[in-house]
Amino acid sequence: MIPMSLHRLNGRRVVAFVAALAVALLGFISLANADEDIASAPKSYRFEIEPHLVLGTSPPGFGQGSGIGAGIRGSVVALPNGLLPKVNDSLAIGFGLDYGHYYGKWALNGYRDRCLHYQAGPDGTQVCTDITLNGGDYTYLYVPIVVQWNFWFTRRFSGFVEPGVDLYHLADHGFGAVPAFYLGGRLRLSEHTALTIRLGYPTTAIGVSFLL
């Protein structure tokens, strides 16, 4: 049995990582303020592909805990000139595939072991024959489908919001769907690459975008 103090430490590391991502996103904005040419912020790409690292906590469905993984996101620009005539925005349709492996012992608010399998007992009762250990571990595959609304603040920095839905598969427990919402930003490294951070639920990600 792993001590609860270690469980709390793992949870604190997850919180610290999310906080660091949020601080980095604010840093993006600070860097962008030094950039003067807002009106000509480039939006010439038609497709964005973004491999990234994934962090998640409190997953949907039967799973619990926090986890890490990797994934990829693609976004097709549908409205290059956006929705607002006096705002430098654009609209894209995003989709992707994310893998995450979660550990119950990394839960931010503690965990409970759960019965995984029951067998019929005497007098119509149910007897648990298999139980999780240290909260169990859970493997998720997510398929996010979102509308990505981009706002180009400067030539180097853009932000976006992504409402949508995440379809998911949890190993041994089947399929499900959960509403999703993300808030993120890009710091342009070159004409066709950017460092991208995405905060939200059910996952948070940091990766590199290739603007094609």
Side-chain angles (χ1 to χ4, degrees):
M1 179 69 70
I2 298 176
M4 282 301 295
S5 60
L6 182 57
H7 301 160
R8 297 190 190 100
L9 178 60
N10 286 326
R12 288 169 185 163
R13 287 174 177 169
V14 173
V15 172
F17 184 76
V18 173
L21 288 179
V23 169
L25 186 58
L26 292 175
F28 281 4
I29 297 174
S30 297
L31 285 172
N33 286 338
D35 200 330
E36 299 178 356
D37 195 356
I38 298 177
S40 61
K43 300 185 298 181
S44 58
Y45 73 97
R46 300 296 302 182
F47 181 71
E48 175 184 6
I49 185 167
E50 176 208 324
H52 52 232
L53 298 177
V54 171
L55 176 71
T57 191
S58 299
F62 185 81
Q64 60 179 333
S66 301
I68 56 176
I72 192 166
R73 181 74 69 91
S75 300
V76 178
V77 178
L79 296 176
N81 295 320
L83 300 176
L84 305 176
K86 295 184 179 181
V87 175
N88 201 4
D89 64 332
S90 65
L91 203 69
I93 304 300
F95 51 88
L97 179 65
D98 291 327
Y99 163 86
H101 195 77
Y102 293 74
Y103 298 90
K105 62 189 178 185
W106 289 2
L108 300 184
N109 298 315
Y111 67 84
R112 293 190 306 169
D113 280 313
R114 299 170 174 175
C115 186
L116 298 173
H117 186 260
Y118 290 93
Q119 287 187 350
D123 301 323
T125 61
Q126 295 288 312
V127 178
C128 181
T129 59
D130 190 14
I131 192 170
T132 60
L133 177 64
N134 294 326
D137 60 281
Y138 311 88
T139 299
Y140 278 81
L141 285 178
Y142 295 101
V143 178
I145 303 171
V146 300
V147 175
Q148 182 186 80
W149 195 2
N150 299 289
F151 298 89
W152 298 88
F153 301 117
T154 73
R155 292 188 60 82
R156 294 190 64 195
F157 178 74
S158 62
F160 58 83
V161 293
E162 291 180 334
V165 63
D166 264 57
L167 311 177
Y168 68 87
H169 177 264
L170 172 57
D172 300 323
H173 293 278
F175 294 89
V178 63
F181 184 81
Y182 303 97
L183 175 68
R186 300 182 200 84
L187 179 64
R188 206 132 183 178
L189 305 176
S190 70
E191 183 179 358
H192 297 291
T193 60
L195 179 64
T196 301
I197 290 179
R198 177 181 288 102
L199 306 176
Y201 184 82
T203 59
T204 289
I206 180 170
V208 177
S209 291
F210 298 92
L211 308 172
L212 308 175

